[in-house]
Amino acid sequence: MNDLSLHLESSYIDLPDVFFSRLIPTPVKKPELVILNKNLSKELNLDFSNLDNKKISELFSGNSLPPGSSSIAQAYAGHQFGHFTMLGDGRAVLIGEHLSKKKDRYDIQFKGSGKTAFSRNGDGRAALGPMLREYIISEAMHYLNIPTTRSLAVVKTGEDVIRETPLQGAVLTRIALSHIRVGTFQYIAARDKKDELEILLNYVIQRHYPNIQNSKNKAIDLLKVVMEKQIDLVVNWMRVGFIHGVMNTDNMSISGETIDYGPCAFIDTYDPKTVFSSIDQMGRYAYCNQPVITKWNLSRFAECLIPLIDKDQNKSIELATEIINSFEKKYEEKWLNMMRDKLGLFGIEDKDKFLILDLLTWMHHKKLDYTNTFCHLMNSEIEKNENFKDHDFQIWKKRWQERLKINNNSPKKYIQLMKSVNPMVIPRNHKVEEVLNEANKNNIEPLNKILE
């Protein structure tokens, strides 16, 4: 199997046993490769040319583990819809960390690979539809320049999983900078053992943020850097109209990648209160709440770090609070700059915020499509819409055109800027559903087409 040029290490198992549970993926009856991500394979310097589909299926179902692997389920906790729970990988195993030629380190995880010590009442398996959904959406996010975990392969298991009805089973291979979450820190913090917390802190810094390794206060600097990463991430989600759907603390990655594509979608008609999870009755994770929840999750992260910030608990809380309270200002600044880019605006003008908010308010009022409105402003007519002849819109457009003239702007420059941040193509939910329905009937042509 080393023909793959798979260089596996397992630094995570050097941590104390409390961080994980060792196990082997449960073998599956009849593995069958559905899709292999050739572009990602190249980026990871993996070569599958010497393997036939049967061998690849055996590998990515967990039936035959590559040399150097040491499969574990990670322990973590999480605030799920605001309620704290002790969790862990209930249906996923980490088989190791692959080192690319550039010495970049990537987790390789099988999702849907059977029961673990953390499964509780679950069967540890996954259905084909949701695994392919994660593959499609994570690829879209990657090509929209948004930090994300990615999918290397999906393999059918030849077994049914029982949900409301029997569904085809599948295993997804997920690639991530790491699977360490805010919830990992919460799990260790709940054990109330400062030495374990310190071990985790040092591991994360060494793995993700070596530039702060010699810092005077590592815990404070880690909180700052993770906050910056998360602000950048959520600003990117808002840019393309992405709704994560389940922003629990166990779904917030310390590396700043989008992780865990459950009930997620891209917004169609612009409504800030759009929710995309049937469980989310209160709209906790609505599109417009994503920045608020990001701050809330970061506050939970800060709480975990209190014992490591300062010997004096009150001083610790004061320092952490000061950082968390800087969130809104940082977020608003980055969000405004992102929206300026979406509108092709260079420089900063006092009235920019009103120009931006007036457009969004009008879009909401007229129930316009979020992506297509910006396509219209880039002169890319995706759909004929009479609303663009609307009197209020014409007045707004004049204000926008006046603003465009400032700072040596030219149509070539501003269209180029807009095209760099505004998607022309997003995986529309109804299209994704059509593709998944076909895949469930063993027709993967539409899947390949949407990915292209």
Side-chain angles (χ1 to χ4, degrees), residues 13-38:
I13 61 169
D14 296 337
L15 300 177
D17 287 354
V18 64
F19 284 80
F20 56 85
S21 148
R22 293 173 194 264
L23 77 164
I24 299 290
T26 311
V28 307
K29 265 186 196 158
K30 197 181 159 201
E32 183 195 333
L33 183 68
V34 179
I35 189 159
L36 179 66
N37 192 334
K38 294 194 173 128

mmCIF file of all heavy atoms in Angstrom, residues 13-38:
data_model
loop_
_atom_site.group_PDB
_atom_site.id
_atom_site.type_symbol
_atom_site.label_atom_id
_atom_site.label_comp_id
_atom_site.label_asym_id
_atom_site.label_seq_id
_atom_site.Cartn_x
_atom_site.Cartn_y
_atom_site.Cartn_z
ATOM 1 N N ILE A 13 -1.447 10.396 19.090
ATOM 2 C CA ILE A 13 -1.442 9.319 20.090
ATOM 3 C C ILE A 13 -0.310 9.470 21.108
ATOM 4 O O ILE A 13 -0.212 8.697 22.047
ATOM 5 C CB ILE A 13 -1.407 7.900 19.458
ATOM 6 C CG1 ILE A 13 -0.144 7.708 18.618
ATOM 7 C CG2 ILE A 13 -2.656 7.616 18.650
ATOM 8 C CD1 ILE A 13 0.070 6.261 18.193
ATOM 9 N N ASP A 14 0.535 10.503 20.916
ATOM 10 C CA ASP A 14 1.537 10.800 21.948
ATOM 11 C C ASP A 14 0.905 11.545 23.125
ATOM 12 O O ASP A 14 1.533 11.701 24.169
ATOM 13 C CB ASP A 14 2.682 11.643 21.366
ATOM 14 C CG ASP A 14 3.449 10.875 20.293
ATOM 15 O OD1 ASP A 14 3.393 9.622 20.334
ATOM 16 O OD2 ASP A 14 4.062 11.501 19.416
ATOM 17 N N LEU A 15 -0.321 12.024 22.921
ATOM 18 C CA LEU A 15 -1.035 12.703 24.013
ATOM 19 C C LEU A 15 -1.526 11.647 25.004
ATOM 20 O O LEU A 15 -1.602 10.459 24.674
ATOM 21 C CB LEU A 15 -2.228 13.500 23.452
ATOM 22 C CG LEU A 15 -1.895 14.603 22.434
ATOM 23 C CD1 LEU A 15 -3.171 15.252 21.909
ATOM 24 C CD2 LEU A 15 -0.989 15.652 23.040
ATOM 25 N N PRO A 16 -1.903 12.055 26.235
ATOM 26 C CA PRO A 16 -2.412 11.071 27.200
ATOM 27 C C PRO A 16 -3.634 10.308 26.667
ATOM 28 O O PRO A 16 -4.383 10.837 25.838
ATOM 29 C CB PRO A 16 -2.805 11.946 28.403
ATOM 30 C CG PRO A 16 -1.979 13.182 28.263
ATOM 31 C CD PRO A 16 -1.807 13.409 26.796
ATOM 32 N N ASP A 17 -3.811 9.082 27.160
ATOM 33 C CA ASP A 17 -4.895 8.205 26.673
ATOM 34 C C ASP A 17 -6.286 8.812 26.787
ATOM 35 O O ASP A 17 -7.203 8.421 26.062
ATOM 36 C CB ASP A 17 -4.884 6.870 27.448
ATOM 37 C CG ASP A 17 -3.702 6.011 27.013
ATOM 38 O OD1 ASP A 17 -3.011 6.414 26.064
ATOM 39 O OD2 ASP A 17 -3.471 4.951 27.633
ATOM 40 N N VAL A 18 -6.457 9.766 27.679
ATOM 41 C CA VAL A 18 -7.778 10.356 27.895
ATOM 42 C C VAL A 18 -8.270 11.132 26.665
ATOM 43 O O VAL A 18 -9.461 11.359 26.496
ATOM 44 C CB VAL A 18 -7.737 11.268 29.148
ATOM 45 C CG1 VAL A 18 -6.806 12.447 28.956
ATOM 46 C CG2 VAL A 18 -9.120 11.774 29.487
ATOM 47 N N PHE A 19 -7.347 11.489 25.777
ATOM 48 C CA PHE A 19 -7.700 12.283 24.602
ATOM 49 C C PHE A 19 -8.378 11.464 23.495
ATOM 50 O O PHE A 19 -8.910 12.022 22.554
ATOM 51 C CB PHE A 19 -6.446 12.947 24.007
ATOM 52 C CG PHE A 19 -5.966 14.141 24.786
ATOM 53 C CD1 PHE A 19 -5.221 13.987 25.945
ATOM 54 C CD2 PHE A 19 -6.257 15.424 24.361
ATOM 55 C CE1 PHE A 19 -4.765 15.080 26.666
ATOM 56 C CE2 PHE A 19 -5.812 16.530 25.070
ATOM 57 C CZ PHE A 19 -5.068 16.361 26.234
ATOM 58 N N PHE A 20 -8.289 10.136 23.571
ATOM 59 C CA PHE A 20 -8.788 9.311 22.460
ATOM 60 C C PHE A 20 -9.044 7.894 22.931
ATOM 61 O O PHE A 20 -8.706 7.513 24.052
ATOM 62 C CB PHE A 20 -7.764 9.302 21.303
ATOM 63 C CG PHE A 20 -6.397 8.843 21.724
ATOM 64 C CD1 PHE A 20 -6.076 7.486 21.759
ATOM 65 C CD2 PHE A 20 -5.432 9.756 22.111
ATOM 66 C CE1 PHE A 20 -4.823 7.061 22.162
ATOM 67 C CE2 PHE A 20 -4.162 9.331 22.522
ATOM 68 C CZ PHE A 20 -3.858 7.983 22.544
ATOM 69 N N SER A 21 -9.624 7.117 22.022
ATOM 70 C CA SER A 21 -9.835 5.696 22.294
ATOM 71 C C SER A 21 -9.330 4.931 21.074
ATOM 72 O O SER A 21 -9.646 5.289 19.931
ATOM 73 C CB SER A 21 -11.344 5.491 22.522
ATOM 74 O OG SER A 21 -11.739 4.227 22.088
ATOM 75 N N ARG A 22 -8.527 3.898 21.303
ATOM 76 C CA ARG A 22 -7.976 3.122 20.173
ATOM 77 C C ARG A 22 -9.008 2.112 19.693
ATOM 78 O O ARG A 22 -9.679 1.478 20.506
ATOM 79 C CB ARG A 22 -6.715 2.371 20.592
ATOM 80 C CG ARG A 22 -5.545 3.282 20.915
ATOM 81 C CD ARG A 22 -4.382 2.485 21.477
ATOM 82 N NE ARG A 22 -3.393 3.358 22.091
ATOM 83 C CZ ARG A 22 -2.301 3.800 21.485
ATOM 84 N NH1 ARG A 22 -2.044 3.451 20.249
ATOM 85 N NH2 ARG A 22 -1.452 4.588 22.128
ATOM 86 N N LEU A 23 -9.129 1.950 18.399
ATOM 87 C CA LEU A 23 -10.035 0.944 17.841
ATOM 88 C C LEU A 23 -9.720 0.731 16.366
ATOM 89 O O LEU A 23 -8.963 1.491 15.775
ATOM 90 C CB LEU A 23 -11.491 1.373 17.983
ATOM 91 C CG LEU A 23 -12.003 2.439 16.978
ATOM 92 C CD1 LEU A 23 -13.514 2.469 16.995
ATOM 93 C CD2 LEU A 23 -11.463 3.814 17.306
ATOM 94 N N ILE A 24 -10.304 -0.319 15.810
ATOM 95 C CA ILE A 24 -10.134 -0.614 14.380
ATOM 96 C C ILE A 24 -11.482 -0.351 13.718
ATOM 97 O O ILE A 24 -12.527 -0.676 14.285
ATOM 98 C CB ILE A 24 -9.761 -2.115 14.186
ATOM 99 C CG1 ILE A 24 -8.425 -2.423 14.896
ATOM 100 C CG2 ILE A 24 -9.663 -2.499 12.722
ATOM 101 C CD1 ILE A 24 -7.191 -1.826 14.265
ATOM 102 N N PRO A 25 -11.501 0.240 12.487
ATOM 103 C CA PRO A 25 -12.784 0.415 11.802
ATOM 104 C C PRO A 25 -13.503 -0.931 11.641
ATOM 105 O O PRO A 25 -12.855 -1.955 11.405
ATOM 106 C CB PRO A 25 -12.394 0.976 10.437
ATOM 107 C CG PRO A 25 -11.021 1.525 10.607
ATOM 108 C CD PRO A 25 -10.369 0.725 11.685
ATOM 109 N N THR A 26 -14.818 -0.909 11.771
ATOM 110 C CA THR A 26 -15.597 -2.144 11.583
ATOM 111 C C THR A 26 -15.594 -2.502 10.094
ATOM 112 O O THR A 26 -16.004 -1.678 9.268
ATOM 113 C CB THR A 26 -17.060 -1.931 12.045
ATOM 114 O OG1 THR A 26 -17.026 -1.327 13.347
ATOM 115 C CG2 THR A 26 -17.834 -3.225 12.084
ATOM 116 N N PRO A 27 -15.156 -3.712 9.720
ATOM 117 C CA PRO A 27 -15.122 -4.069 8.292
ATOM 118 C C PRO A 27 -16.521 -3.983 7.661
ATOM 119 O O PRO A 27 -17.527 -4.159 8.347
ATOM 120 C CB PRO A 27 -14.630 -5.523 8.300
ATOM 121 C CG PRO A 27 -13.950 -5.694 9.613
ATOM 122 C CD PRO A 27 -14.672 -4.796 10.579
ATOM 123 N N VAL A 28 -16.553 -3.688 6.360
ATOM 124 C CA VAL A 28 -17.845 -3.608 5.654
ATOM 125 C C VAL A 28 -17.946 -4.780 4.679
ATOM 126 O O VAL A 28 -16.937 -5.353 4.270
ATOM 127 C CB VAL A 28 -18.013 -2.258 4.910
ATOM 128 C CG1 VAL A 28 -17.776 -1.099 5.860
ATOM 129 C CG2 VAL A 28 -17.093 -2.148 3.698
ATOM 130 N N LYS A 29 -19.211 -5.107 4.295
ATOM 131 C CA LYS A 29 -19.456 -6.304 3.478
ATOM 132 C C LYS A 29 -18.846 -6.224 2.088
ATOM 133 O O LYS A 29 -18.089 -7.074 1.657
ATOM 134 C CB LYS A 29 -20.975 -6.496 3.330
ATOM 135 C CG LYS A 29 -21.568 -7.443 4.354
ATOM 136 C CD LYS A 29 -23.040 -7.680 4.043
ATOM 137 C CE LYS A 29 -23.744 -8.285 5.253
ATOM 138 N NZ LYS A 29 -25.185 -8.059 5.213
ATOM 139 N N LYS A 30 -19.212 -5.135 1.379
ATOM 140 C CA LYS A 30 -18.865 -5.126 -0.040
ATOM 141 C C LYS A 30 -18.493 -3.704 -0.460
ATOM 142 O O LYS A 30 -19.323 -2.976 -1.019
ATOM 143 C CB LYS A 30 -20.085 -5.622 -0.829
ATOM 144 C CG LYS A 30 -19.761 -6.051 -2.245
ATOM 145 C CD LYS A 30 -21.029 -6.507 -2.941
ATOM 146 C CE LYS A 30 -20.842 -6.453 -4.443
ATOM 147 N NZ LYS A 30 -22.120 -6.392 -5.148
ATOM 148 N N PRO A 31 -17.254 -3.290 -0.158
ATOM 149 C CA PRO A 31 -16.874 -1.908 -0.479
ATOM 150 C C PRO A 31 -16.841 -1.653 -1.988
ATOM 151 O O PRO A 31 -16.389 -2.500 -2.749
ATOM 152 C CB PRO A 31 -15.481 -1.763 0.138
ATOM 153 C CG PRO A 31 -14.977 -3.143 0.313
ATOM 154 C CD PRO A 31 -16.162 -4.043 0.461
ATOM 155 N N GLU A 32 -17.347 -0.487 -2.354
ATOM 156 C CA GLU A 32 -17.373 -0.126 -3.791
ATOM 157 C C GLU A 32 -17.132 1.372 -3.913
ATOM 158 O O GLU A 32 -17.863 2.190 -3.344
ATOM 159 C CB GLU A 32 -18.740 -0.489 -4.383
ATOM 160 C CG GLU A 32 -18.858 -0.222 -5.866
ATOM 161 C CD GLU A 32 -20.321 -0.254 -6.351
ATOM 162 O OE1 GLU A 32 -21.165 -0.949 -5.742
ATOM 163 O OE2 GLU A 32 -20.599 0.438 -7.339
ATOM 164 N N LEU A 33 -16.060 1.732 -4.636
ATOM 165 C CA LEU A 33 -15.688 3.152 -4.784
ATOM 166 C C LEU A 33 -16.757 3.908 -5.569
ATOM 167 O O LEU A 33 -17.135 3.504 -6.663
ATOM 168 C CB LEU A 33 -14.342 3.248 -5.512
ATOM 169 C CG LEU A 33 -13.777 4.663 -5.678
ATOM 170 C CD1 LEU A 33 -13.372 5.268 -4.343
ATOM 171 C CD2 LEU A 33 -12.587 4.656 -6.637
ATOM 172 N N VAL A 34 -17.235 5.011 -4.998
ATOM 173 C CA VAL A 34 -18.194 5.869 -5.713
ATOM 174 C C VAL A 34 -17.425 7.001 -6.384
ATOM 175 O O VAL A 34 -17.626 7.313 -7.548
ATOM 176 C CB VAL A 34 -19.248 6.464 -4.740
ATOM 177 C CG1 VAL A 34 -20.229 7.367 -5.488
ATOM 178 C CG2 VAL A 34 -19.993 5.360 -4.006
ATOM 179 N N ILE A 35 -16.531 7.634 -5.623
ATOM 180 C CA ILE A 35 -15.793 8.767 -6.182
ATOM 181 C C ILE A 35 -14.465 8.942 -5.454
ATOM 182 O O ILE A 35 -14.371 8.710 -4.251
ATOM 183 C CB ILE A 35 -16.650 10.064 -6.111
ATOM 184 C CG1 ILE A 35 -15.985 11.190 -6.892
ATOM 185 C CG2 ILE A 35 -16.933 10.489 -4.665
ATOM 186 C CD1 ILE A 35 -16.955 12.288 -7.294
ATOM 187 N N LEU A 36 -13.445 9.324 -6.228
ATOM 188 C CA LEU A 36 -12.120 9.591 -5.680
ATOM 189 C C LEU A 36 -11.723 10.993 -6.135
ATOM 190 O O LEU A 36 -11.868 11.334 -7.308
ATOM 191 C CB LEU A 36 -11.119 8.563 -6.230
ATOM 192 C CG LEU A 36 -9.663 8.707 -5.780
ATOM 193 C CD1 LEU A 36 -9.518 8.443 -4.295
ATOM 194 C CD2 LEU A 36 -8.765 7.746 -6.567
ATOM 195 N N ASN A 37 -11.234 11.806 -5.208
ATOM 196 C CA ASN A 37 -10.909 13.195 -5.503
ATOM 197 C C ASN A 37 -9.487 13.298 -6.064
ATOM 198 O O ASN A 37 -8.515 13.371 -5.322
ATOM 199 C CB ASN A 37 -11.055 14.014 -4.212
ATOM 200 C CG ASN A 37 -11.033 15.510 -4.475
ATOM 201 O OD1 ASN A 37 -10.462 15.978 -5.448
ATOM 202 N ND2 ASN A 37 -11.656 16.260 -3.581
ATOM 203 N N LYS A 38 -9.409 13.295 -7.392
ATOM 204 C CA LYS A 38 -8.085 13.243 -8.040
ATOM 205 C C LYS A 38 -7.285 14.533 -7.826
ATOM 206 O O LYS A 38 -6.077 14.490 -7.662
ATOM 207 C CB LYS A 38 -8.239 12.926 -9.524
ATOM 208 C CG LYS A 38 -8.790 11.507 -9.695
ATOM 209 C CD LYS A 38 -8.659 10.967 -11.105
ATOM 210 C CE LYS A 38 -9.062 9.501 -11.148
ATOM 211 N NZ LYS A 38 -10.056 9.192 -12.158
#
